[in-house]
Amino acid sequence: EDQVTQSPEALRLQEGESSSLNCSYTVSGLRGLFWYRQDPGKGPEFLFTLYSAGEEKEKERLKATLTKKESFLHITAPKPEDSATYLCAVQARGNQFYFGTGTSLTVIP
Amino acid sequence: DADVTQTPRNRITKTGKRIMLECSQTKGHDRMYWYRQDPGLGLRLIYYSFDVKDINKGEISDGYSVSRQAQAKFSLSLESAIPNQTALYFCATSDLSLETQYFGPGTRLLVL
């Protein structure tokens, strides 16, 4: 069964305190792994796509990595404006997308 | 102007009523999707369409139907709404080559 699990469910960081979010997946025929940011009351906003193990993508304070079974979203020296829910999704063979339940990140000034 | 728009943004209805949620996009994408989001369950795919003549069921299509009126428009209908269809509904589009999905602002639906 195709499945995406994110951990932790919630994370509180002090401003400047780096950390990582985890997305583990089991899927038949991974076509892509996606990271999104979602602010309260808004639709998810695309961050990264990763296609193969070993691939890395960076954007400002965020860096996404991919292995054969999981992906990490590393947040370096976070700021309060990085507070949001971060969603992971996988695209399986057959073109369906499966989302995790997200990690709610709060960065305290 | 937003690339993906949804109407209405909020809707309250009663059990048994038929309602329609609408999605329009100006991104020129062929692929469109409908999801629902529930606390603790994440986003779940209801239906998706790869072009005007192609409609596919997603993970949770029971109780829902869709219509792709044009490349830019994709509507979701609840034929007879029930309380457990109370959720936040999102429309999304994607480009054929990139697969990245772009989401609308969502419709918050409450079924009493």
Side-chain angles (χ1 to χ4, degrees), chain A residues 15-29:
Chain A
E15 184 172 1
E17 179 187 1
S18 301
S19 188
S20 296
L21 313 182
N22 177 261
C23 171
S24 62
Y25 62 90
T26 54
V27 64
S28 54

Side-chain angles (χ1 to χ4, degrees), chain A residues 31 34 36 38 41-46 49 51 87 91 94-101, chain B residues 9 33 35 37 40-43 45 48 50 57-59 90 98-101 103-105:
Chain A
R31 297 188 58 180
F34 303 82
Y36 290 86
Q38 186 175 22
K42 295 188 176 182
E45 177 185 344
F46 170 74
T49 307
Y51 292 105
L87 302 174
Q91 184 185 19
N95 292 312
Q96 289 218 26
F97 287 83
Y98 298 93
F99 279 78
T101 53
Chain B
R9 294 294 314 279
Y33 309 78
Y35 290 89
Q37 188 174 38
L41 293 178
L43 281 156
L45 184 61
Y48 60 104
F50 284 174
K57 292 183 178 181
E59 189 183 354
F90 287 103
L98 293 178
E99 299 293 5
T100 300
Q101 296 189 338
F103 285 81

Side-chain angles (χ1 to χ4, degrees), chain B residues 3-108:
Chain B
D3 294 320
V4 184
T5 57
Q6 293 183 234
T7 56
R9 294 294 314 279
N10 293 280
R11 178 74 184 267
I12 300 174
T13 191
K14 294 183 179 180
T15 297
K17 294 291 188 181
R18 182 182 189 277
I19 67 163
M20 179 182 289
L21 310 182
E22 298 187 339
C23 176
S24 296
Q25 54 112 348
T26 59
K27 298 189 75 67
H29 289 167
D30 288 321
R31 301 184 174 193
M32 298 187 74
Y33 309 78
W34 275 105
Y35 290 89
R36 65 177 281 175
Q37 188 174 38
D38 300 274
L41 293 178
L43 281 156
R44 291 180 292 167
L45 184 61
I46 306 172
Y47 271 95
Y48 60 104
S49 169
F50 284 174
D51 64 41
V52 174
K53 296 181 179 180
D54 178 75
I55 303 289
N56 303 281
K57 292 183 178 181
E59 189 183 354
I60 52 161
S61 58
D62 288 348
Y64 302 94
S65 63
V66 291
S67 173
R68 184 83 183 265
Q69 301 94 324
Q71 187 207 33
K73 295 184 182 295
F74 193 34
S75 299
L76 177 71
S77 294
L78 285 67
E79 298 301 325
S80 179
I82 56 176
N84 78 358
Q85 291 177 313
T86 292
L88 187 54
Y89 289 84
F90 287 103
C91 172
T93 74
S94 71
D95 178 87
L96 180 63
S97 60
L98 293 178
E99 299 293 5
T100 300
Q101 296 189 338
Y102 297 88
F103 285 81
T107 294
R108 191 170 296 278

Side-chain angles (χ1 to χ4, degrees), chain A residues 1-91:
Chain A
E1 180 183 345
D2 297 327
Q3 190 170 313
V4 179
T5 303
Q6 291 188 246
S7 62
E9 287 187 14
L11 182 62
R12 289 172 64 90
L13 299 173
Q14 292 290 328
E15 184 172 1
E17 179 187 1
S18 301
S19 188
S20 296
L21 313 182
N22 177 261
C23 171
S24 62
Y25 62 90
T26 54
V27 64
S28 54
L30 178 72
R31 297 188 58 180
L33 185 141
F34 303 82
W35 282 98
Y36 290 86
R37 170 190 170 127
Q38 186 175 22
D39 292 296
K42 295 188 176 182
E45 177 185 344
F46 170 74
L47 293 173
F48 302 109
T49 307
L50 302 167
Y51 292 105
S52 57
E55 190 174 358
E56 299 182 352
K57 295 272 181 75
E58 283 189 72
K59 180 180 179 181
E60 296 181 355
R61 295 177 292 282
L62 300 177
K63 179 180 177 181
T65 62
L66 180 64
T67 72
K68 288 186 177 180
K69 293 187 176 181
E70 59 190 350
S71 176
F72 292 93
L73 184 65
H74 307 278
I75 303 176
T76 302
K79 298 181 178 182
E81 53 263 41
D82 294 322
S83 297
T85 295
Y86 290 85
L87 302 174
C88 170
V90 298
Q91 184 185 19

